Amino acid sequence: MGLMAQLALRKDVVVDKWFARVVDTYPAETARFLRSQKDPFANPVGRTTHQQLGTLVALLDADWNPDTARSALDPIMRIRAVQDFSAARATGFVFDLKQVIRGLMKSPDDARWIGDLKQLDRLIDEMALISFDLFMGCREKVYELKANEMKDRTYKAFAKAGLIKEVDDE
Amino acid sequence: MADETPKPQELLDRIAYQPPAKHWMDVPVNIRKGMYCYASNPKSVEYLSMPNARPWNPLEDDWQLPENWQQILHEGFKERLEKFRSIKVFMDICVRCGACADKCHFFIGTGDPKNMPVLRAELLRSVYRNDFTALGKVLGRLNGARPMTLDVLKEWWYYLFQCTECRRCSLFCPYGIDTAEITIFGRELLNLLGLNIDWVATPVANCYRTGNHLGIQPHAFKDMLDFFVDDIEEITGLRCEQTFNEKGADILFITPSGDVFADPGTYTCMGYMMLFHYLKEKYGLKVTWSTYASEGGNFGFFTSHETMKRLNAKMYLEARRLGVKWILGGECGHMWRVINQYMDTMNGPADFLETPVNPITGTVYQNAASTKMVHISEFTADLIRHGKLELDPSRNDNKIITFHDSCNPARGMGMFEEPRYVIKSVANHFYEMPANTIREQTFCCGSGAGLNAGENMELRMAGGLPRANAVKYVHETFGVNMLACVCAIDRAALPASMEYWVPEVDVTGVTELVANALILPGEQERTMDLRSEPLPGMEEADE
Ligand code: SF4
Ligand code: SF4
């Protein structure tokens, strides 16, 4: 059985171990909450993260599809992009999956795994690059929202009512 | 969020970074861009004759405090402990059980433990123990006490302006401790040192001077409504003229100025105008607007009790001047908390007004017997219930609606059924969000209590996550595309939150939906809704 197929059998363990690492990027009190509260509406950060990590792990064994990876990473990055993380810390958790998988293998250095691990690392690197793009996209969105906030709402209403005189209205 | 590009070694350090477990008092406050609002403009502080007006910057070490600032705070604390028994009780009785800890949208969204309500309150309690309890004086930190230092003050400021005073946490406290009240109290103390945010201070000054938060003068206020009259005419063929400052009108109508000047509140405003026109034509009801009391919102509430009182008084003075019978209030959030919980003790009883009676249905609003102020949803629900409005709900058929209970009407006045009844009467597609995110347990929009500025967008998005997450669920499950609410801050803040978290969902006021469905006497065949978008089935006619 290839490495990917073996991983698929232990998917839940992989996801839980990976999730534990992501959760540990938060302060200890927060991590405890993110782990223990199982209601998705009381704990959107924890449950969203857990669910999407599951999708990503499943993707390793299925046909790799960057669009599926993107839509699984999007909700996680959307959250981390507005929390207290630098770009590196926000996206760094993706690489942790390499350690998680190696940690579960009896002999990760065995020559027969070289090919599979290489392939796996490549997919994980691709996930990391996608999350970096997503992180940047979210940051841009936040800045766009900041810039448009006043203009879009109040200004538009005034302009519509003809209460704003533009220079070229002369 | 990193605002400067980090060096490689820093990057490596950060990747391996796992925050160390530390006692909260040992974690220094880090004032982070995107999480705080700009400091108050000295002109606004001065206009209100509040202390220590000067330019200052939260990111600088020196906050330009008066020399004896510790003494001012200590005395302010002492004075208020004597004045507000609730505060004294809240300081003493918390057993730190943690039931409130994970109930705050800011903790849930930011993941910052200092946003746990219990820790937010501990900010003040730790100083209280040090200054006012014998045990705290003797045992110091062992008893959770600490002296007031500049770092502690900065921590107060940073976290008291990361609380929207929404009261969700208080719902879960077995002792009924209301952390929102603690924040209100803490902000009042900060104002003794001139430590307000500008998004609160300037609207308050504007409101005090001109009558509304944006500082819109009476003629511009009227111009704006006149413009809506033209807009409504295009949609209905009718001119829904309004009256202003009319002495002897039956009812004075007051709504947040956001409805008059900011999209999408403007559509709700058009909705009010169409409803009043309908009631005048059909039943002869005379409703007037005031260009002086042109603000229902009260950012004074986010400053100090005294400031709240000053701004609230204006509405009642205007009602007295005009000689109306009672006041009808628009779709606002905190206005209703001020009215329901504070108005009577501050400026009441308003016994020069009458106990509100709906002259069309005969309903007596006993709940407003003292404040004399009725919520537009209570009023509309009553009209619908008595069959007094002719409605065509199919005009809202392209809207799949859910309802966000705004914190203040929900937890501050207990209004849950009326807006739902109204929505279900004027529209055919309505779905609730999950039970632990609505009614009493509703999640804040993340931008209340004066925090709906632009510069703190990260805070707003993180705080808005629990609400948006529930909206996302009904969007994905039922195809919900419209988030209805009865609060002007919601209408200003939720569009940004939706754009970030669930871009397929738009935001509307409830009265906008009412006016879409309302069949005005003598109207032309309608092809457009209030946003000038084609009505369902009229997409062709639009082309
Ligand atoms: S009042 Fe609301 S924002 Fe403030 S601590 Fe409680 S839950 Fe959080
Ligand atoms: S729920 Fe009440 S008693 Fe318990 S920690 Fe929170 S404020 Fe204190």
Side-chain angles (χ1 to χ4, degrees), chain B residues 61-63 65 69-70 148-155:
Chain B
D61 287 341
D62 186 356
W63 280 13
L65 300 170
W69 69 267
Q70 274 141 316
M148 190 67 189
T149 62
L150 191 57
D151 285 340
V152 172
L153 181 71
K154 291 186 174 183
E155 201 173 32

Side-chain angles (χ1 to χ4, degrees), chain B residues 192-229:
Chain B
L192 297 176
L193 305 177
L195 297 176
N196 207 345
I197 59 172
D198 199 47
W199 197 259
V200 171
T202 293
V204 169
N206 283 341
C207 192
Y208 193 53
R209 186 186 59 227
T210 349
N212 59 64
H213 290 157
L214 291 158
I216 309 297
Q217 297 181 21
H219 60 282
F221 188 89
K222 182 175 177 296
D223 277 357
M224 210 53 203
L225 266 73
D226 284 347
F227 170 74
F228 294 150
V229 171

Side-chain angles (χ1 to χ4, degrees), chain B residues 72-93 121 124-134 137 156 181-182 185-186 188-189 192 305:
Chain B
I72 297 174
L73 268 192
H74 177 84
E75 279 162 15
F77 211 134
K78 182 157 180 274
E79 185 193 324
R80 283 162 185 80
L81 283 171
E82 285 155 15
K83 194 158 138 199
F84 303 113
R85 248 188 70 75
S86 54
I87 291 298
K88 173 93 177 71
V89 172
F90 293 166
M91 288 296 122
D92 283 328
I93 63 169
L124 277 84
R125 251 184 225 122
S126 52
V127 174
Y128 165 78
R129 289 192 195 101
N130 185 75
D131 284 19
F132 301 103
T133 70
K137 277 190 190 120
W156 275 27
E181 287 286 337
I182 296 176
F185 164 72
E188 180 164 320
L189 293 179
L192 297 176
H305 288 87

Side-chain angles (χ1 to χ4, degrees), chain B residues 93-101 118 125 169 172-177 179:
Chain B
I93 63 169
C94 170
V95 293
R96 284 181 264 182
C97 69
C100 61
V118 53
R125 251 184 225 122
C169 51
F172 298 88
C173 174
Y175 296 92
I177 295 174
T179 303

